[in-house]
Structures are given as structure tokens and as C-alpha cells.
Amino acid sequence: MKKILLVSTLLLLFQNLSQAQTVSLVQDLNTGTADGFDEWNNKSITYNDIQIFPATDGTNGLELYALKAGQLTLIKDINAGSESSNPANFILYNDKVYFTAYDPTHGEEIWSTDGTEAGTTLAIETIDGTDPSSGYGTGTMIAALNGKLYFSLDGAVYVSDGTTANTTAVSGITGNVDFNEDLSLVSPVVTKYENGIAFFSLTSQHDVNLYKLDASTPELLKTVTFDRYSTTDVYGLSEVSAGLLFAVNNFYYTEYNGLFVIKKSDGSLTEIKDASDASIEVNRVLHFTSSKVLFKTTSGGMYCTDGTQAGTVKIAPATYTLAQGDRIPNAVFNDKIVFYGDEVMFNTKIYISDGTVAGTSIIASDQYFLSNFISSGNTVAWASGLVNGFNPRIWTADVSTKTSKKVYQFTESASVPDAVIMLGIQDSKIYFEYTLGGKGRELYKLSGLTLSIFSGNTAVSEAYKLCTINAVNGTYAISTPESSEALEVTQYDLSGNILKTTSVANDETFTVNTKVPMSIIKVTGSQGTISYKLTAN
């Protein structure tokens, strides 16, 4: 009998707030009034027990830093000296963080890190020497269920196992491919699809080709032609239950607007929502679960859909119009999404939803000018009142109890948009970027919060015919009577990023990453597939 031992994780279940919250500077990294953090290149990623992000001390350029146990540390000065390597596009893959960075020898290429200087190395050199003089950079990377890493470069698609030796350009694609999200769209143009990915390709004739790619051979799913493509945006590519979903928006010719699905069942193209009902706004399609997406209409509200007309339901009113390029702040908790929407100015509400009307509720009201959302365990945090003279405030919400609380209010007014950028939750503290007390944009922490941490095991019952899962002595044991069956075991975080993946033979063991607060384990064999959460009670 084959057994795979899965080590249990700790889960942050809920947050209780004390009465002594204080904000303090972590470190004036770039001393004086200069910025230690870039307002535009500010994305970070949680890796094990550290937070990784770009920052600068003023001597070195914008480089790779880590936050661990309340301390800021330079991981590596990739572009040595005062110039920047501009690390960006972080993704968890095979228990490392992969990202793009620049140095004068290799140009912009893909690096990986385990959070240490020695463990930060050039991972994939796609083109020898510096970057090509034309075309797009590497940009967004995506890891598929088949365990491969995909990215685009200079109009082509590449598939990789994370090494230069096993990185190849995919042939047989007509048109140009770019996985980067356009700043005006802020919506996915590539998605996980079945065991691989799906993506758009644009031809010189302005046709839109939709491809799927499982391994190295692409399959053309559909070619869609828009007569006025020069003013038409195609975006929001997402896998849903019915198939492959995307949205179309034309600012001048709204008759082209709509939400479409290419059906898995027969490959047909079906319009599930058109402009006569409620035109779709550009950049308003959000990944939600593996089977549903959330989308915003211009004036009709927030909807959830599984890709069918019957499964498309309005879950919240949202009549506001956002500026082009503005995101809808949200946080995804595997089977739920927390997002904001308002009906009139200064009447923003924070919702939590499982994609159904009955499962959608308001967890906060009277919010305005929101920051990005961050999450840890069942806790989501954000800042409000960022501009126009309002004093910023920091809020938290508990997904399990569907309640929210203001945990801090600043005494000085914000003077610039996005004055507060939330970074992460670590060691019962909320970390954020802010300009305060005459200093530049630096890292601050909100202390005095009480996080209750529970450990333990949740027994999981038998699922399908593939295997039996039981809690045994602090570990998870997965077994199958098919002793010759090969199994693929993959661990994901709640955003769908691959933490670990491996093939196992008889009597081999697989140990998961135990430092993430919650993860998903997927086991695939000849008898089928199961997925389940690693949680604690």
C-alpha cells in the first residue's frame, strides 16, 4: 500500500484586538525625506515566514529585501551599486520565489530565491546577453497544474521547469502573445486552464486567437474577429465551470460589449451577458475560484458567474465608475472573496461572498478611498480614507465571523493617493508603507493586535476512489490499494501558486511546506483527482 505523509500546518483562525494599538517605524531605510519604498513597484510576496519585496537604502538601487521577525534585511544587491535591479512579478514555484530582475550582464531575466543571498540566483536566462532591443519583457509568470512555469517574452510563449536548460519557446502560435496586464485593463490575459494554461494571441489582422497549452503543443480553441478591434479591449480571461471566459469592451461601439464563454463541452462561443443588459467595464473581471469569477458592470452591480446564463447572478449593487487602471481591492480565500463596492460616493461597502446571493453579506460600511487588501489565515486588512484630506484608518475583518473592526486611526491627513500601501501580516502585526513624520515612504508596523493561533489536525474522510485520507499522529496519511499507481502530489497556496509538486512511487513520502498558514493539496492518479485544504482545528 502506498502512503504519503503530509505534515500538518498552523492556521490563523481569527483576530482579537486589544486596546493598545500603536504605529511605529520599522526602519528609516532610506534616511531623511527620500523614499525607501517605491510607490509603483510595491508588490510583495509571502514566502514561508518572511515577506519579500523591492526596497532601497539610497546607496543601492531598488533591490530585493526581506522582512522577518520585524527586521528588514537586504537579500541580495542583484544590480551591484546604485543602479536598480527592479525585482518584480513574484510567484511561488517549487518551494522558491521566482521573479524578474535586471543586471547589466544578462538584462532582465528570471531569478529565484529561498530568502538568502546564497540562495538567490539567476534561474532562467532566456536570451544570452542583454535583452533584445524590441518587444516586451518577461512580465507575468504563471504556474499550471501540470507543474510547469509559463511566461511570455518578445511575443512568444515559453514553458519551463524553472531552469535554463529546460526552458523552451513554444512553436505553432499565430500572432503575438503578451502575458503582461495592460495598466489600463488591470485584468488577466492568461489563466490556468485544465492542466495547463490558456491565453490570447493577437494577429496583424486584429483577430483574437485563444489558445490552450498543456505541455509543449498549443491548441487553437477559437479565433474571434472584431470589425472595430482598434478600439476594442479583450480581457478578463478566466477558467470557469462552463469553459473559458473573457470580456469585450469597446468605448465607442458598445454593441460589441459583452461577456463570452468558449464551452468545454463543444467549443462553441456563447454570450452570457451583453451591453443591452449591463455593459461590462474594462478591468473589472476578477479570478475568484476555479469555477467562478466576479465581474463588475458599468451600472448594474457586481455579478458572479460560472460561465452559464443560469449561473450568472447579481450579488451586490455597485453603480460607481472607477478610473481606468484602478483595481477593485479584493482578497481571495479559496472559496470566498472579500471585495468592495458602493452605490453612491462615500458609501462604500465591503462584501464577502461565496458567489451566491445567499452567501453574500456586508462586513463593513462607510468606507472610502481604499488601499489594497492583505490577508493571513482568516484575517483581511486594509486602509481607508487615503486622499482628499481624510485621516487614514486601518481596518481588519474576520472571514469566519464576517465581522470587521477599525483598529487604528491616524491623526494627520493623507496628502497623496495610495498614501498607505498594505504589505503583510506577520507575528501579530500589520506592516504597511506610508509617508509619516516628514520622512519618505518607509515601512511601518501596527502593534498591539492579538492573534489567536490554534494547532491540531482535521481528519479528512474518504474522497472518490483514488485514496483515503486520515489524520495519524500529527501527520496526514494518504493511501491507495493500487500499489503500482503513480501519483502526482501538488501543494498550492490560496492564490493558486504552486508551493511544491512531485511524482511519487510506492512507499515514497511527500512533506509539504509547513510555514504557510493554509494550503491546498491536490493528488492525481489514474483513478481520478482529489483536492482538500490543509487546515487546523
Side-chain angles (χ1 to χ4, degrees):
M1 177 176 288
K2 184 182 308 179
K3 291 186 177 180
I4 307 162
L5 300 180
L6 303 177
V7 181
S8 175
T9 63
L10 295 179
L11 172 63
L12 300 179
L13 290 181
F14 60 85
Q15 183 173 11
N16 293 320
L17 302 175
S18 71
Q19 300 300 316
Q21 292 84 29
T22 59
V23 163
S24 59
L25 177 68
V26 175
Q27 180 181 339
D28 188 5
L29 186 63
N30 195 353
T31 56
T33 59
D35 292 342
F37 290 78
D38 189 278
E39 183 176 357
W40 306 109
N41 185 5
N42 55 48
K43 298 297 187 295
S44 66
I45 191 168
T46 300
Y47 172 70
N48 295 339
D49 56 351
I50 64 176
Q51 196 86 10
I52 295 176
F53 45 80
T56 178
D57 61 4
T59 300
N60 300 301
L62 202 65
E63 296 293 345
L64 196 68
Y65 274 78
L67 173 68
K68 181 176 182 179
Q71 299 296 315
L72 277 174
T73 305
L74 174 66
I75 297 177
K76 186 165 187 173
D77 185 9
I78 294 173
N79 190 359
S82 60
E83 298 300 317
S84 299
S85 68
N86 289 313
N89 303 303
F90 299 110
I91 184 174
L92 287 170
Y93 177 68
N94 281 350
D95 207 25
K96 290 184 178 181
V97 173
Y98 281 69
F99 61 98
T100 58
Y102 174 87
D103 74 6
T105 302
H106 306 96
E108 183 183 282
E109 293 289 0
I110 298 175
W111 291 65
S112 67
T113 183
D114 62 2
T116 68
E117 181 176 12
T120 303
T121 59
L122 178 67
I124 305 172
E125 185 174 13
T126 311
I127 300 175
D128 291 338
T130 57
D131 290 340
S133 58
S134 62
Y136 299 98
T138 304
T140 302
M141 294 176 281
I142 184 169
L145 300 182
N146 58 19
K148 298 296 184 181
L149 186 69
Y150 296 86
F151 59 92
S152 67
L153 176 65
D154 204 19
V157 177
Y158 288 79
V159 59
S160 177
D161 68 352
T163 67
T164 299
N166 294 314
T167 299
T168 58
V170 178
S171 60
I173 298 173
T174 302
N176 293 316
V177 180
D178 181 14
F179 288 175
N180 288 281
E181 292 182 359
D182 187 285
L183 289 179
S184 67
L185 300 181
V186 198
S187 195
V189 293
V190 58
T191 182
K192 296 174 186 177
Y193 186 63
E194 296 180 343
N195 285 324
I197 63 171
F199 54 90
F200 295 127
S201 174
L202 306 181
T203 71
S204 58
Q205 290 78 29
H206 303 303
D207 289 336
V208 179
N209 295 323
L210 281 89
Y211 285 94
K212 79 170 185 176
L213 179 63
D214 288 338
S216 58
T217 303
E219 177 184 342
L220 178 62
L221 297 176
K222 184 72 64 176
T223 297
V224 184
T225 301
F226 299 99
D227 294 338
R228 300 183 185 276
Y229 177 73
S230 60
T231 58
T232 301
D233 293 315
V234 184
Y235 61 95
L237 194 63
S238 304
E239 182 177 16
V240 291
S241 295
L244 192 62
L245 174 144
F246 63 95
V248 176
N249 180 276
N250 190 306
F251 183 79
Y252 298 103
Y253 303 94
T254 57
E255 63 268 23
Y256 291 100
N257 295 353
L259 196 67
F260 301 85
V261 165
I262 298 176
K263 292 184 178 180
K264 289 181 180 179
S265 57
D266 57 11
S268 63
L269 182 66
T270 301
E271 186 173 24
I272 61 173
K273 202 164 189 60
D274 62 24
S276 64
D277 186 356
S279 60
I280 312 302
E281 255 190 311
V282 174
N283 70 32
R284 299 303 184 264
V285 178
L286 303 175
H287 284 296
F288 177 25
T289 69
S290 60
S291 59
K292 295 180 180 180
V293 298
L294 187 77
F295 68 91
K296 182 187 181 301
T297 62
T298 302
S299 58
M302 301 293 293
Y303 285 75
C304 186
T305 183
D306 61 2
T308 66
Q309 292 177 338
T312 302
V313 295
K314 181 178 178 179
I315 60 174
T319 57
Y320 61 95
T321 298
L322 296 176
Q324 199 174 45
D326 283 350
R327 296 179 182 269
I328 297 177
N330 70 94
V332 175
F333 293 82
N334 189 42
D335 55 352
K336 294 182 178 64
I337 184 169
V338 177
F339 64 95
Y340 90 96
D342 61 12
E343 300 175 59
V344 296
M345 185 65 72
F346 304 141
N347 188 26
T348 302
K349 295 178 173 60
I350 311 296
Y351 294 86
I352 183 171
S353 178
D354 62 3
T356 66
V357 175
T360 301
S361 58
I362 297 171
I363 59 175
S365 298
D366 300 325
Q367 305 279 300
Y368 39 81
F369 302 124
L370 301 184
S371 71
N372 59 310
F373 285 14
I374 57 174
S375 61
S376 179
N378 279 357
T379 299
V380 59
W382 67 92
S384 66
L386 302 183
V387 294
N388 294 344
F390 291 99
N391 291 350
R393 307 165 188 179
I394 295 180
W395 300 75
T396 61
D398 188 321
V399 176
S400 60
T401 62
K402 300 181 182 179
T403 58
S404 65
K405 185 177 294 186
K406 182 178 70 176
V407 294
Y408 192 81
Q409 180 166 339
F410 294 89
T411 57
E412 65 178 50
S413 299
S415 59
V416 295
D418 297 328
V420 177
I421 298 175
M422 308 299 282
L423 187 74
I425 300 173
Q426 189 179 109
D427 298 328
S428 302
K429 301 175 182 66
I430 295 176
Y431 290 86
F432 58 93
E433 302 170 24
Y434 191 39
T435 54
L436 184 66
K439 300 183 183 299
R441 181 172 295 279
E442 298 292 350
L443 186 64
Y444 290 81
K445 64 182 177 182
L446 174 60
S447 306
L449 308 177
T450 301
L451 290 175
S452 297
I453 302 176
F454 292 83
S455 62
N457 295 311
T458 301
V460 185
S461 61
E462 183 172 347
Y464 305 116
K465 296 180 180 179
L466 176 62
C467 53
T468 302
I469 309 171
N470 292 295
V472 178
N473 297 327
T475 65
Y476 287 88
I478 304 180
S479 60
T480 174
E482 300 293 333
S483 60
S484 61
E485 184 179 15
L487 297 179
E488 292 283 338
V489 182
T490 307
Q491 182 187 15
Y492 306 89
D493 67 10
L494 295 190
S495 297
N497 298 311
I498 294 177
L499 304 179
K500 281 190 174 183
T501 184
T502 188
S503 298
V504 294
N506 191 30
D507 294 328
E508 286 187 336
T509 61
F510 175 70
T511 303
V512 301
N513 183 322
T514 62
K515 295 182 179 180
V516 291
M518 181 184 291
S519 61
I520 306 296
I521 300 297
K522 179 180 179 181
V523 184
T524 302
S526 60
Q527 301 177 67
T529 298
I530 63 167
S531 296
Y532 66 96
K533 292 181 185 179
L534 269 182
T535 62
N537 55 18

